[in-house]
Amino acid sequence: MKKPTPLPTDVDPQGFLVADAYASGVPRWRLQTSELVTPSRGIRLARANEHDLELLGRLHTAVTPRCAVSHVTAALLWSIPLPIYLEAEGASGMIHVTRRQEIGRVKRRGVIGHRAPLLARDVRVLNGVHLTSPEWTWVDLARQMGRGSLVAAGDALLARDNPLSSIDAIQEVIDRRPKVKGIRMAREILPLLRAGVDSPQESRLRVKIVDAGLPEPAVTQPIFDDHGRYMSTPDLQYKEYKIAMEYEGDHHRSDPVQWGRDIERDDRLRAKGWIVLRFSDVQMKGGWVNAERKLRDALTSRGWRRPSS
């Protein structure tokens, strides 16, 4: 085989459409060299980029007219948090692509095809990739995710900084898709979404608390002392009962400076009569019974009583 020659400057060596390469004068043999892979007909990628979802999404939506990357693939490109099993699906190299219902599913290697009544506003362009909107993507995910994970994904759309969507936008998509699989779950979960949540695990913790029959805690509300001086913004709190809850991710334990600040923060609150409860991945995965008891005992000690049914 001939020694590969450099591609023309108007052909991206990371990945390109075969039609564009031919239009630029690239000979057929050059597209068959070992440094390139063929994820699907009409597409070539540099071998090092064969699992690059953004590049794959850009090329698939370029080679197939009137379609959008969707489902798990779109969620990953929007940086919507997913459970581990869906992250693994996204890493498999398969791309979810949705076309309008009247056109028909995309049928090509490397693609999981879908049909849906997409409107122009349901498709966005992100870094050159046509993909379903965050709210449409969230509804697509409803059939594949449990309560806690779906709440975490929805909360991520309502992030404090640069939110991807809004409750009204999500509701509008739900109303337009009454028969899609998972719509009942989407309707059930929508009222549980909250803006301003800092991490998926905080969302999952809040859902566990509510599902345990305990009152819903407030999300990331600042606490001030009697003189109006800022003290802390716990992940979750019951202001009425002066109970603060913090979810400690791995970065809290691995960063000595952050760990020290956390200790000082909690000490300030306790000095003002607050109970501070800390949670980690241990409680979320296997120790929830004890964690729930700890929280219930704290609430009871501050005068909370379960409402009579």
Side-chain angles (χ1 to χ4, degrees), residues 67-82:
C67 72
V69 169
S70 62
H71 294 76
V72 171
T73 314
L76 290 169
L77 293 178
W78 282 120
S79 297
I80 297 172
L82 297 175

Side-chain angles (χ1 to χ4, degrees), residues 6-286:
L7 292 166
T9 56
D10 59 344
V11 175
D12 184 354
Q14 304 302 312
F16 53 87
L17 300 186
V18 169
D20 292 342
Y22 284 154
S24 295
V26 178
R28 183 175 181 179
W29 70 263
R30 180 64 178 83
L31 304 182
Q32 298 173 337
T33 55
S34 60
E35 68 186 56
L36 297 175
V37 295
T38 304
S40 193
R41 66 183 183 275
I43 296 174
R44 295 293 187 275
L45 290 180
R47 188 169 296 279
N49 298 323
E50 60 183 322
H51 297 298
D52 185 328
L53 283 184
E54 184 175 292
L55 183 56
L56 281 166
R58 188 181 306 125
L59 293 173
H60 274 293
T61 55
V63 77
T64 304
R66 291 178 290 177
C67 72
V69 169
S70 62
H71 294 76
V72 171
T73 314
L76 290 169
L77 293 178
W78 282 120
S79 297
I80 297 172
L82 297 175
I84 293 175
Y85 62 91
L86 288 183
E87 287 185 355
E89 178 188 319
S92 69
M94 297 293 289
I95 301 292
H96 288 264
V97 175
T98 295
R99 296 179 82 181
R100 292 180 60 87
Q101 284 181 316
E102 62 270 23
I103 302 175
R105 288 183 178 87
V106 176
K107 296 180 180 179
R108 56 169 48 242
R109 181 158 56 91
V111 169
I112 301 171
H114 307 270
R115 293 189 305 163
L118 292 171
L119 302 178
R121 64 177 178 272
D122 300 321
V123 179
R124 311 281 175 79
V125 180
L126 180 69
N127 297 327
V129 184
H130 289 75
L131 69 168
T132 51
S133 69
E135 51 272 12
W136 187 281
T137 302
W138 185 81
V139 173
D140 278 340
L141 295 173
R143 61 178 293 191
Q144 298 176 275
M145 296 168 67
R147 285 169 56 83
S149 293
L150 193 58
V151 169
D155 284 353
L157 302 189
L158 311 177
R160 183 166 40 236
D161 299 322
N162 302 314
L164 294 174
S165 190
S166 67
I167 290 294
D168 289 344
I170 300 171
Q171 181 70 66
E172 191 271 339
V173 171
I174 288 175
D175 292 343
R176 279 195 286 125
R177 306 185 70 187
K179 296 182 180 180
V180 70
K181 291 182 179 179
I183 196 65
R184 185 176 299 177
M185 173 69 86
R187 291 194 188 106
E188 177 186 328
I189 293 301
L190 183 63
L192 298 178
L193 304 189
R194 299 291 179 265
V197 181
D198 288 330
S199 77
Q201 287 298 72
E202 291 171 28
S203 299
R204 295 184 177 101
L205 174 59
R206 190 178 80 251
V207 172
K208 279 184 171 290
I209 291 171
V210 172
D211 286 350
L214 301 173
E216 181 180 347
V219 173
T220 55
Q221 296 295 314
I223 297 173
F224 301 91
D225 66 15
D226 296 337
H227 302 287
R229 293 178 298 229
Y230 174 79
M231 296 179 62
S232 176
T233 302
D235 297 330
L236 302 169
Q237 66 170 284
Y238 298 112
K239 184 176 181 181
E240 176 185 357
Y241 302 111
K242 299 185 77 171
I243 299 173
M245 287 155 280
E246 299 283 1
Y247 182 84
E248 307 292 359
D250 289 339
H251 69 283
H252 289 266
R253 295 187 296 273
S254 60
D255 184 342
V257 175
Q258 182 64 53
W259 186 252
R261 288 173 179 167
D262 292 345
I263 292 173
E264 292 176 356
R265 171 203 67 199
D266 295 349
D267 286 345
R268 286 195 300 270
L269 288 178
R270 290 186 179 109
K272 293 296 182 179
W274 282 74
I275 295 174
V276 180
L277 302 178
R278 303 168 85 168
F279 301 84
S280 73
D281 205 37
V282 173
Q283 284 77 37
M284 298 297 287
K285 289 186 174 178

